[in-house]
Amino acid sequence: MSSTPRETFQLGPFVTPRIWTGLWQLSSNAWGSASVSKVRRGMLRHAEMGYTAFADHYGSAEIIFGQFRQAFSNREQIVGATKWCVFKQVTPTRDLVRAAVQERLERLGVERVDLLQFHWQDYSDDGYITALNYMMDLKSEGLISAIGLCNFDAIRTDEICTVLGPGVIVSNQVQFSVIDTRPLHGMADVCSKHGIKLLTYGTLCGGFLSDKWLGCSEPDPYSGHLTPSQRKYLDMIVKAWGSWELFQSLLLVLRKIGDRHRRSIANVATRWVLDHSFVGAVIIGARLGISEHPDENGKVFGFRLSNEDRLSIEAILDRSRGRTIISTIGDCGAEYR
């Protein structure tokens, strides 16, 4: 295990680290591909360093993760968050919900899903409440340990937690970074009200919030050199948030803060998110077997941002359109609907 100081938090019945490893990049070769054996070795490396929580098991990632977990010597330490995403209109019967959960159990090779994260596409259809009630029944049967949401907005998260009662929903996975601060406008209050935690992604904007991009010119989104995540977040940076020039000013400020703490830009950007009390963990995507940074990510721990640090970041954010992203794009998860 790494000697780097770790931070943990309580998520339902689990105590997990505050940095999770995101597996969404296993879902497509567009991020680059590695052999299954290399991917498993990457998972093992992360787990042995204390990164024992994995999230976003799309497609074959569920199977690969399940196989890794079965082979890991301390498998009870591993926490896996998978998803059930409902993108088309369905009638959420008890059998349908049970079948969806059973499919995940079989793909993961387990008797119980640790954290089942639920996404529902069409808010005009309130079947999400019915589906979640059936998930509660399956949790009572022992097929699910904890239930979370994925990309639900503040209004529906509040509604769901109010209807289902305290303690049923433990988390909501949403985008949150110094660029995308939408959770500060409503979601934070909902988390406080109902005692839930955010699992955040996009915290490094696909890697743009890193030393690699300081002093670089704006990339061509059609050059073929960007990952799918980078094309998405470049759009967020230059169209919704501000401009590439202002982004460079932000990177420079983060670099100066990093110099004071002997940390990287990515460390500072991640620390900024983790310092919000309603955030449980940051999910950092890893191209296992290709590009992964567990040693670097561990440096997020062991330091805190000062008031001076935070004010210098806020000075840049005040010059951006970050405060209005919630009105131009919509609340958390709106960009996927």
Side-chain angles (χ1 to χ4, degrees), residues 105-234:
L105 293 173
E106 291 172 0
R107 291 172 69 85
L108 290 166
V110 296
E111 296 180 353
R112 182 185 298 113
V113 175
D114 293 337
L115 174 64
L116 181 63
Q117 296 176 290
F118 178 57
H119 173 87
W120 184 269
Q121 187 73 9
D122 183 8
Y123 288 147
S124 68
D125 176 2
D126 63 2
Y128 53 86
I129 295 290
T130 303
L132 283 162
N133 271 297
Y134 289 139
M135 278 183 246
M136 287 174 60
D137 293 342
L138 295 175
K139 181 174 179 289
S140 298
E141 291 180 28
L143 298 183
I144 304 170
S145 292
I147 302 171
L149 305 176
C150 179
N151 283 321
F152 272 84
D153 63 13
I155 291 175
R156 276 78 184 187
T157 301
D158 183 39
E159 174 200 11
I160 288 166
C161 292
T162 300
V163 171
L164 299 186
V168 175
I169 301 299
V170 301
S171 62
N172 187 16
Q173 181 177 327
V174 299
Q175 191 168 297
F176 187 32
S177 69
V178 292
I179 297 294
D180 184 358
T181 60
R182 285 176 293 171
L184 296 175
H185 307 285
M187 186 64 73
D189 293 335
V190 172
C191 289
S192 177
K193 176 181 176 182
H194 296 288
I196 67 174
K197 293 291 187 180
L198 295 187
L199 305 177
T200 69
Y201 64 92
T203 298
L204 298 179
C205 291
F208 278 121
L209 285 165
S210 68
D211 288 280
K212 174 183 176 180
W213 289 97
L214 178 61
C216 293
S217 57
E218 181 178 340
D220 178 359
Y222 305 106
S223 66
H225 298 301
L226 299 182
T227 67
S229 289
Q230 288 173 330
R231 286 193 291 273
K232 166 189 168 183
Y233 291 113
L234 178 61

Side-chain angles (χ1 to χ4, degrees), residues 76-97:
E76 68 280 355
Q77 297 178 357
I78 304 296
V79 175
T82 192
K83 287 182 177 176
W84 179 32
C85 299
V86 180
F87 293 113
K88 60 183 181 180
Q89 192 165 26
V90 298
T91 300
T93 64
R94 187 180 300 273
D95 287 344
L96 178 77
V97 177

Side-chain angles (χ1 to χ4, degrees), residues 46-95:
H46 278 72
E48 289 179 337
M49 294 180 67
Y51 301 101
T52 53
F54 297 80
D56 274 20
H57 304 152
Y58 292 112
S60 61
E62 272 184 324
I63 298 172
I64 297 171
F65 170 77
Q67 293 168 343
F68 153 74
R69 185 180 192 169
Q70 291 299 319
F72 189 64
S73 56
N74 296 312
R75 70 185 68 169
E76 68 280 355
Q77 297 178 357
I78 304 296
V79 175
T82 192
K83 287 182 177 176
W84 179 32
C85 299
V86 180
F87 293 113
K88 60 183 181 180
Q89 192 165 26
V90 298
T91 300
T93 64
R94 187 180 300 273
D95 287 344

